[in-house]
Amino acid sequence: MKKKYIVFIIAILLSVGTYFLFFYKDKNLKYIPENADILILVDVKKATKQYIFSFLVHPSKWFEDGKKDKNKISVSDSGLEIPDFIQVFHLKDTKVSEWYCVLEINDKAKLSAFLKNRKFVNAGKDEFKNNQLFIKIEGEKCIVGTSDLNIKNIGKPLSETFKNKKLSADSFVNDGLGSISFISELRTQNFSIFINDDEIEIKNEQNKTDFSSLISDLLTKTQFLETELNEENVKKIAAVFNKDLNDSVSVNHLRIRAELAQVNDTIISYGYDDNFNEIEKISYQKIVQPNYHILMQTSDPDKTWNYFQSKKWINDQNQFTVIPFQPNLISKTENQISIKSTQSPIKLNENRKQNFIFIKNNALLYSSFKTLSDSDKKFFNTIEYIFYGNKNLDYSLKIKFKKDQYPLILR
């Protein structure tokens, strides 16, 4: 009889432990600042469950742990408290590349060892940095950012503006492993994040549009980039980079097509012969040169043209100098402005009357970035394409990776 009680108690303890380990979640979001305009949430426990399931059904992965660098301290042993919902935010009126996250410190000695192990340089005033991240320690908090430009400008917690009412993850996350939310004074738009076997997909709730046929057709083409956007999408994308740009250029429809080619570039240098006579030396190197055609439809092409000229984006040869790949030719008609590369002109594909941005991976693309490390190049090589699509109120972003032995979450 006693054995039954012992087994019963053990079963209860295991059930309670499993519940708190995998299912109970602290949904309180304490560190979202009032001046955040974009919030990314990651459901850590949901991601952990998906990882464990994938790990269990791929036995060949079990034996790879021994190949890892055992001297490298893991994030789980970094002295930082990993919350049930990791909260990454972007601040209003800052660069697109600036993102921050606030974590609690539970062991400063471990954190110090972790930073040293990961080659963070002490910049003084409790600030540390490596090539990719900046860290600032404030008491029992650790602020992690992709930049240190606006760490001091992180506002007070958003919950304080609601009279200290707790801000819950339920307000942002519906399903998926996380969410991306655009926060404004009027409303918050939430988009769910899904990690599938070979793709990351981000889409709004109740999204019923299937873009698979469009993507399949785009994959059969040779282009590196193809884009078609209506006025609403142009405004939204322009606002990410420059809020005043759309009002200045008034584009109501945009089409872009680009292809990549490797060409020989002539390098002319000068030296001296044995008699100190100046001689010209000619050498060649292969460079990646895009061929492109950009067509902007506008109700007021003169306004757009004058704006480009005021920014000194058009030179005396009618070249659009914002695009670093020359030569090109910019021209205008009654209702549109066209920018074409002139070395190998290409034609735009048919007007699909859809809103999308499609970028297909090309080995020439990442090989042309000399500053990328080998690991970065290896990562970019795993991407097959990036697709953004919009139809009515449905929005979808898909990052497709090349097929691999393991699902994406295990890679």
Side-chain angles (χ1 to χ4, degrees):
M1 184 66 70
K2 290 182 179 180
K3 289 183 178 180
K4 290 183 179 180
Y5 283 123
I6 292 173
V7 171
F8 179 70
I9 292 172
I10 291 174
I12 291 178
L13 292 175
L14 287 173
S15 299
V16 172
T18 300
Y19 170 74
F20 279 98
L21 183 62
F22 293 110
F23 296 97
Y24 172 78
K25 301 173 187 176
D26 181 0
K27 298 182 179 181
N28 184 23
L29 307 179
K30 296 186 288 185
Y31 296 118
I32 306 304
E34 61 180 356
N35 57 334
D37 58 357
I38 305 177
L39 170 64
I40 299 177
L41 290 183
V42 178
D43 188 332
V44 175
K45 290 190 174 179
K46 196 167 188 178
T48 301
K49 286 187 288 184
Q50 183 173 331
Y51 178 89
I52 291 175
F53 175 79
S54 297
F55 185 79
L56 291 176
V57 297
H58 291 84
S60 58
K61 188 71 175 174
W62 304 352
F63 306 101
E64 291 190 1
D65 287 342
K67 300 177 183 178
K68 295 180 180 179
D69 185 356
K70 294 182 179 180
N71 295 321
K72 200 171 188 179
I73 299 176
S74 67
V75 175
S76 60
D77 199 31
S78 64
L80 295 172
E81 181 71 30
I82 306 301
D84 291 337
F85 287 88
I86 294 178
Q87 307 149 46
V88 180
F89 53 86
H90 178 270
L91 301 177
K92 296 177 183 176
D93 302 320
T94 62
K95 295 179 180 178
V96 179
S97 58
E98 290 184 43
W99 295 87
Y100 302 95
C101 177
V102 180
L103 300 171
E104 294 181 358
I105 302 171
N106 56 26
D107 192 322
K108 288 191 174 182
K110 282 188 174 182
L111 177 58
S112 178
F114 172 78
L115 294 176
K116 185 177 180 180
N117 179 261
R118 293 301 181 98
K119 301 187 186 308
F120 277 83
V121 177
N122 191 334
K125 298 181 180 179
D126 288 326
E127 295 181 357
F128 303 84
K129 61 182 179 179
N130 63 11
N131 294 329
Q132 298 171 318
L133 296 175
F134 294 84
I135 286 180
K136 183 174 178 60
I137 297 174
E138 293 184 350
E140 300 303 315
K141 294 188 298 182
C142 174
I143 303 174
V144 183
T146 58
S147 169
D148 61 347
L149 293 176
N150 287 283
I151 283 182
K152 295 179 180 178
N153 297 327
I154 296 175
K156 64 182 180 181
L158 184 61
S159 58
E160 292 184 12
T161 64
F162 299 111
K163 298 181 181 180
N164 288 320
K165 181 181 178 181
K166 289 185 177 180
L167 190 64
S168 173
D170 287 335
S171 300
F172 303 96
V173 179
N174 183 23
D175 49 8
L177 295 188
S179 66
I180 296 180
S181 301
F182 294 84
I183 305 169
S184 67
E185 295 179 359
L186 298 177
R187 62 171 180 163
T188 297
Q189 291 182 288
N190 299 327
F191 298 82
S192 298
I193 302 173
F194 300 88
I195 298 182
N196 304 317
D197 283 352
D198 299 305
E199 66 184 24
I200 297 174
E201 186 173 14
I202 302 170
K203 58 184 180 180
N204 57 305
E205 299 170 8
Q206 289 86 44
N207 189 322
K208 296 180 181 179
T209 302
D210 185 3
F211 294 102
S212 57
S213 60
L214 172 59
I215 294 173
S216 296
D217 185 48
L218 290 168
L219 282 169
T220 63
K221 311 297 182 182
T222 61
Q223 80 285 354
F224 147 69
L225 168 67
E226 186 165 345
T227 295
E228 187 175 324
L229 299 172
N230 62 10
E231 183 176 8
E232 179 187 356
N233 279 273
V234 170
K235 283 183 178 180
K236 289 181 178 179
I237 294 174
V240 174
F241 300 97
N242 186 332
K243 292 183 179 180
D244 300 324
L245 182 61
N246 190 74
D247 292 334
S248 302
V249 299
S250 302
V251 174
N252 50 47
H253 193 263
L254 174 68
R255 295 173 65 194
I256 303 173
R257 184 182 173 211
E259 296 179 355
L260 296 178
Q262 193 172 62
V263 298
N264 289 321
D265 183 41
T266 303
I267 302 173
I268 299 176
S269 59
Y270 296 89
Y272 297 90
D273 61 17
D274 294 339
N275 296 320
F276 296 100
N277 297 314
E278 187 178 62
I279 58 173
E280 183 180 86
K281 297 179 179 179
I282 299 177
S283 59
Y284 302 93
Q285 67 174 357
K286 290 189 178 296
I287 63 171
V288 175
Q289 182 77 38
N291 302 312
Y292 49 88
H293 188 179
I294 303 171
L295 190 65
M296 294 177 281
Q297 293 184 351
T298 170
S299 57
D300 193 347
D302 289 333
K303 177 183 177 181
T304 305
W305 189 272
N306 291 335
Y307 176 77
F308 288 164
Q309 286 187 323
S310 70
K311 291 290 185 178
K312 302 187 185 306
W313 291 350
I314 302 177
N315 63 19
D316 295 337
Q317 291 77 42
N318 279 345
Q319 293 181 336
F320 192 62
T321 58
V322 173
I323 300 176
F325 303 101
Q326 305 292 333
N328 64 36
L329 179 66
I330 182 170
S331 60
K332 67 173 179 174
T333 60
E334 292 182 358
N335 63 353
Q336 64 186 27
I337 288 179
S338 171
I339 305 170
K340 296 181 181 180
S341 58
T342 56
Q343 288 189 335
S344 298
I346 62 173
K347 295 182 179 180
L348 289 171
N349 290 323
E350 70 278 7
N351 190 337
R352 299 174 183 273
K353 297 182 180 180
Q354 298 193 61
N355 293 296
F356 65 90
I357 299 173
F358 180 76
I359 303 173
K360 184 165 64 174
N361 198 357
N362 188 310
L364 294 177
L365 177 65
Y366 56 83
S367 65
S368 64
F369 292 108
K370 306 300 183 183
T371 57
L372 289 179
S373 65
D374 290 340
S375 60
D376 289 335
K377 289 181 180 180
K378 184 177 180 181
F379 169 75
F380 283 112
N381 188 38
T382 64
I383 297 176
E384 184 176 346
Y385 65 79
I386 299 174
F387 174 84
Y388 161 81
N390 162 240
K391 183 177 181 181
N392 300 324
L393 297 178
D394 290 344
Y395 295 87
S396 180
L397 175 66
K398 183 179 291 187
I399 305 174
K400 180 72 172 180
F401 292 81
K402 296 176 183 177
K403 289 191 177 297
D404 190 85
Q405 179 183 359
Y406 301 118
L408 195 58
I409 201 166
L410 291 183
R411 300 181 200 176

